[in-house]
């Protein structure tokens, strides 16, 4: 598919998505809730500009493997691609992975297709791994601070063990690469296996090069590796300020730690229900469960989910505009 067709397709999908979200929420409701939030709404929007800066810094560490690549692509070019990539992820119906092909197509103009592919895969792996690290830390905080019931404790323990196992396999993927192994695995599937095997045979050498570049970050550039991972983790913690600001704007007194727990529980629930288009209903359900679990007014959870959806819509529009600005 030509890149121009790719951009047009996602631009159309993005516009349709924005219209659907606005229609579901209602223009009057959006206006009233922005007024209710007041000047804090600009802080809520602005905090995500900071989050995307930290995300871009993480990706920048991955891309900057030598002076040649560093000169070809600037930090602000990566920032533009990062924001647009996340905007596409928001509107992707399943697994929120639509932004990755866009990132590869944009970055390959600067560093070539192999480096672009490996760096985007690494960035996505860092982003996902930071999710598991964030959930793991949150379960520990929830246990230490909120004295959970036996039922919640066992649920937390299962979540923590799952996160540890997931992090183990992610680190294994960083160490040895995973692209070639992934295609070999899917090549064993019925019906589609033969086509995948043929595709793998045709591009096997390319996949080996990509895996070598993935492994090289972990083995040869450990400072960049752990810097990128901790940057992604930091971005998730900074993003929790959004919940703190929303609650403060309407006079609800919650701590920043409670904001972290709210984000952890709601994001875990939303990712379990990853197949829901635009996370419709899953985010609201996640915030409702989170507020109920730590004895906060459940109406706050529903209000938070509404404001975050409005914020998300604003950044989808920004991302689509940046895609148009080429």
């Amino acid at each position: 598919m030509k890149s121009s067709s790719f951009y047009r397709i996602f631009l159309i999908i993005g516009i349709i998505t924005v219209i659907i979200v606005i229609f579901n929420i209602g223009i009057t409701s959006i206006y009233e809730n922005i007024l209710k939030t007041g000047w804090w709404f600009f802080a809520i929007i602005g905090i995500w500009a900071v989050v995307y800066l930290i995300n871009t810094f993480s990706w920048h560490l991955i891309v900057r493997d030598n002076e040649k690549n560093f000169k070809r692509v600037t930090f602000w070019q990566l920032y533009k691609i990062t924001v647009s990539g996340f905007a596409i992820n928001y509107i992707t119906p399943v697994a929120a992975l639509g932004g990755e092909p866009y990132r590869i197509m944009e970055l390959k103009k600067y560093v070539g297709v192999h480096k672009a592919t490996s760096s985007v895969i690494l960035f996505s792996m860092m982003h996902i791994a930071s999710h598991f690290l964030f959930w793991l830390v949150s379960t520990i905080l929830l246990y230490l601070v909120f004295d959970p019931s036996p039922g919640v404790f066992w649920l937390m323990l299962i979540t923590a063990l799952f996160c540890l196992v997931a992090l183990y396999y992610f680190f294994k993927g960083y160490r040895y690469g995973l692209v070639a192994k992934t295609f070999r695995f899917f090549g064993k599937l019925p019906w589609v296996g033969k086509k995948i095997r043929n595709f793998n045979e045709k591009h096997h050498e390319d996949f080996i090069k990509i895996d070598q570049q993935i492994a090289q970050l972990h083995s040869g550039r450990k400072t960049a590796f752990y810097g990128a991972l901790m940057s992604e983790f930091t971005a998730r913690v900074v993003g929790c300020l959004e919940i703190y600001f929303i609650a403060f704007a309407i006079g609800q007194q919650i701590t920043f730690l409670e904001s972290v727990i709210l984000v952890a529980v709601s994001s875990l629930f939303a990712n379990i229900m990853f197949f829901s288009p635009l996370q419709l209903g899953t985010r609201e359900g996640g915030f409702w469960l989170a507020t109920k679990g730590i004895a906060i007014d459940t109406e706050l959870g529903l209000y938070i989910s509404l404001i975050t959806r409005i914020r998300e819509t604003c950044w989808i529009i920004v991302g689509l505009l940046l895609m148009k600005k080429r």
Side-chain angles (χ1 to χ4, degrees), residues 176-197:
Y176 300 108
L178 78 167
V179 177
K181 290 181 180 179
T182 300
F183 275 95
R184 282 201 299 271
F185 172 79
F186 284 108
K188 298 176 182 178
L189 296 176
W191 299 302
V192 297
K194 184 176 180 181
K195 290 184 178 180
I196 294 175
R197 286 195 300 272

Short mmCIF file of all heavy atoms in Angstrom, two decimals, residues 176-197:
data_model
loop_
_atom_site.label_atom_id
_atom_site.label_comp_id
_atom_site.label_asym_id
_atom_site.label_seq_id
_atom_site.Cartn_x
_atom_site.Cartn_y
_atom_site.Cartn_z
N TYR A 176 17.30 -11.99 22.96
CA TYR A 176 17.55 -12.84 21.80
C TYR A 176 16.81 -12.39 20.54
O TYR A 176 17.01 -12.97 19.48
CB TYR A 176 17.12 -14.29 22.12
CG TYR A 176 17.87 -14.90 23.28
CD1 TYR A 176 17.25 -15.11 24.50
CD2 TYR A 176 19.22 -15.25 23.15
CE1 TYR A 176 17.93 -15.66 25.57
CE2 TYR A 176 19.91 -15.80 24.22
CZ TYR A 176 19.26 -16.00 25.43
OH TYR A 176 19.94 -16.54 26.48
N GLY A 177 15.96 -11.37 20.65
CA GLY A 177 15.11 -11.02 19.51
C GLY A 177 13.90 -11.93 19.48
O GLY A 177 13.87 -12.98 20.11
N LEU A 178 12.88 -11.51 18.73
CA LEU A 178 11.66 -12.31 18.75
C LEU A 178 10.92 -12.34 17.41
O LEU A 178 9.94 -13.08 17.29
CB LEU A 178 10.71 -11.78 19.83
CG LEU A 178 9.89 -10.51 19.54
CD1 LEU A 178 8.80 -10.37 20.61
CD2 LEU A 178 10.74 -9.28 19.52
N VAL A 179 11.36 -11.60 16.43
CA VAL A 179 10.63 -11.51 15.18
C VAL A 179 10.65 -12.85 14.44
O VAL A 179 9.61 -13.39 14.05
CB VAL A 179 11.19 -10.39 14.28
CG1 VAL A 179 10.45 -10.36 12.93
CG2 VAL A 179 11.05 -9.04 14.98
N ALA A 180 11.86 -13.42 14.24
CA ALA A 180 11.98 -14.68 13.51
C ALA A 180 11.23 -15.79 14.24
O ALA A 180 10.53 -16.60 13.62
CB ALA A 180 13.45 -15.04 13.35
N LYS A 181 11.34 -15.84 15.59
CA LYS A 181 10.65 -16.87 16.37
C LYS A 181 9.14 -16.71 16.28
O LYS A 181 8.40 -17.70 16.22
CB LYS A 181 11.10 -16.80 17.83
CG LYS A 181 12.53 -17.25 18.07
CD LYS A 181 12.88 -17.18 19.54
CE LYS A 181 14.30 -17.63 19.78
NZ LYS A 181 14.67 -17.54 21.22
N THR A 182 8.68 -15.47 16.26
CA THR A 182 7.25 -15.22 16.17
C THR A 182 6.69 -15.74 14.86
O THR A 182 5.63 -16.39 14.83
CB THR A 182 6.95 -13.72 16.31
OG1 THR A 182 7.43 -13.26 17.57
CG2 THR A 182 5.46 -13.44 16.20
N PHE A 183 7.40 -15.47 13.76
CA PHE A 183 6.92 -15.95 12.46
C PHE A 183 7.00 -17.47 12.36
O PHE A 183 6.15 -18.10 11.73
CB PHE A 183 7.71 -15.29 11.32
CG PHE A 183 7.16 -13.95 10.92
CD1 PHE A 183 7.68 -12.78 11.45
CD2 PHE A 183 6.10 -13.86 10.03
CE1 PHE A 183 7.16 -11.54 11.10
CE2 PHE A 183 5.58 -12.64 9.66
CZ PHE A 183 6.11 -11.47 10.20
N ARG A 184 8.01 -18.09 12.99
CA ARG A 184 8.09 -19.55 12.99
C ARG A 184 6.90 -20.14 13.76
O ARG A 184 6.33 -21.15 13.35
CB ARG A 184 9.40 -20.01 13.62
CG ARG A 184 10.61 -19.89 12.70
CD ARG A 184 11.74 -20.79 13.15
NE ARG A 184 12.21 -20.45 14.48
CZ ARG A 184 13.17 -19.56 14.74
NH1 ARG A 184 13.75 -18.92 13.73
NH2 ARG A 184 13.55 -19.33 15.97
N PHE A 185 6.55 -19.50 14.87
CA PHE A 185 5.42 -19.97 15.67
C PHE A 185 4.11 -19.90 14.88
O PHE A 185 3.36 -20.86 14.81
CB PHE A 185 5.32 -19.16 16.95
CG PHE A 185 4.08 -19.44 17.76
CD1 PHE A 185 4.01 -20.57 18.57
CD2 PHE A 185 2.98 -18.60 17.70
CE1 PHE A 185 2.86 -20.85 19.31
CE2 PHE A 185 1.83 -18.87 18.43
CZ PHE A 185 1.77 -20.00 19.24
N PHE A 186 3.85 -18.72 14.28
CA PHE A 186 2.60 -18.56 13.54
C PHE A 186 2.59 -19.37 12.25
O PHE A 186 1.53 -19.66 11.70
CB PHE A 186 2.36 -17.08 13.23
CG PHE A 186 1.87 -16.29 14.41
CD1 PHE A 186 2.71 -15.39 15.05
CD2 PHE A 186 0.59 -16.47 14.90
CE1 PHE A 186 2.27 -14.66 16.15
CE2 PHE A 186 0.14 -15.76 16.00
CZ PHE A 186 0.99 -14.86 16.63
N GLY A 187 3.78 -19.77 11.79
CA GLY A 187 3.84 -20.62 10.61
C GLY A 187 3.32 -22.03 10.86
O GLY A 187 3.05 -22.77 9.91
N LYS A 188 3.15 -22.40 12.13
CA LYS A 188 2.63 -23.72 12.48
C LYS A 188 1.11 -23.73 12.60
O LYS A 188 0.52 -24.80 12.81
CB LYS A 188 3.25 -24.17 13.81
CG LYS A 188 4.77 -24.31 13.76
CD LYS A 188 5.32 -24.67 15.13
CE LYS A 188 6.85 -24.76 15.09
NZ LYS A 188 7.41 -25.06 16.44
N LEU A 189 0.48 -22.58 12.50
CA LEU A 189 -0.97 -22.51 12.65
C LEU A 189 -1.68 -23.14 11.45
O LEU A 189 -1.15 -23.11 10.32
CB LEU A 189 -1.41 -21.05 12.80
CG LEU A 189 -0.92 -20.31 14.04
CD1 LEU A 189 -1.36 -18.85 13.98
CD2 LEU A 189 -1.45 -20.96 15.32
N PRO A 190 -2.86 -23.72 11.65
CA PRO A 190 -3.62 -24.27 10.51
C PRO A 190 -4.16 -23.15 9.63
O PRO A 190 -4.29 -22.01 10.07
CB PRO A 190 -4.75 -25.03 11.21
CG PRO A 190 -4.90 -24.38 12.55
CD PRO A 190 -3.53 -23.92 12.95
N TRP A 191 -4.46 -23.48 8.37
CA TRP A 191 -5.06 -22.59 7.38
C TRP A 191 -4.10 -21.47 6.92
O TRP A 191 -3.78 -21.38 5.75
CB TRP A 191 -6.37 -21.97 7.90
CG TRP A 191 -7.39 -23.00 8.22
CD1 TRP A 191 -7.93 -23.95 7.37
CD2 TRP A 191 -8.00 -23.26 9.48
NE1 TRP A 191 -8.83 -24.75 8.02
CE2 TRP A 191 -8.91 -24.35 9.32
CE3 TRP A 191 -7.89 -22.66 10.74
CZ2 TRP A 191 -9.66 -24.85 10.35
CZ3 TRP A 191 -8.65 -23.16 11.79
CH2 TRP A 191 -9.52 -24.24 11.59
N VAL A 192 -3.64 -20.64 7.83
CA VAL A 192 -2.80 -19.50 7.42
C VAL A 192 -1.31 -19.81 7.53
O VAL A 192 -0.47 -19.03 7.10
CB VAL A 192 -3.13 -18.25 8.27
CG1 VAL A 192 -4.55 -17.80 8.04
CG2 VAL A 192 -2.86 -18.51 9.75
N GLY A 193 -0.97 -20.97 8.13
CA GLY A 193 0.42 -21.30 8.40
C GLY A 193 1.29 -21.33 7.16
O GLY A 193 2.43 -20.84 7.17
N LYS A 194 0.77 -21.87 6.06
CA LYS A 194 1.56 -22.01 4.84
C LYS A 194 1.95 -20.64 4.28
O LYS A 194 3.10 -20.42 3.88
CB LYS A 194 0.78 -22.80 3.80
CG LYS A 194 1.58 -23.08 2.54
CD LYS A 194 0.79 -23.95 1.57
CE LYS A 194 1.61 -24.23 0.31
NZ LYS A 194 0.85 -25.07 -0.67
N LYS A 195 0.99 -19.71 4.26
CA LYS A 195 1.28 -18.36 3.75
C LYS A 195 2.30 -17.66 4.64
O LYS A 195 3.19 -16.95 4.14
CB LYS A 195 -0.02 -17.56 3.68
CG LYS A 195 -0.98 -18.02 2.60
CD LYS A 195 -2.19 -17.11 2.51
CE LYS A 195 -3.12 -17.56 1.38
NZ LYS A 195 -4.31 -16.68 1.28
N ILE A 196 2.19 -17.86 5.96
CA ILE A 196 3.13 -17.23 6.87
C ILE A 196 4.52 -17.82 6.69
O ILE A 196 5.52 -17.10 6.70
CB ILE A 196 2.65 -17.39 8.33
CG1 ILE A 196 1.36 -16.59 8.55
CG2 ILE A 196 3.73 -16.93 9.32
CD1 ILE A 196 0.74 -16.77 9.91
N ARG A 197 4.60 -19.14 6.50
CA ARG A 197 5.90 -19.78 6.27
C ARG A 197 6.54 -19.28 4.98
O ARG A 197 7.75 -19.02 4.95
CB ARG A 197 5.73 -21.31 6.20
CG ARG A 197 5.48 -21.97 7.56
CD ARG A 197 5.69 -23.48 7.48
NE ARG A 197 4.78 -24.12 6.52
CZ ARG A 197 3.56 -24.54 6.82
NH1 ARG A 197 3.10 -24.39 8.06
NH2 ARG A 197 2.80 -25.13 5.91
#
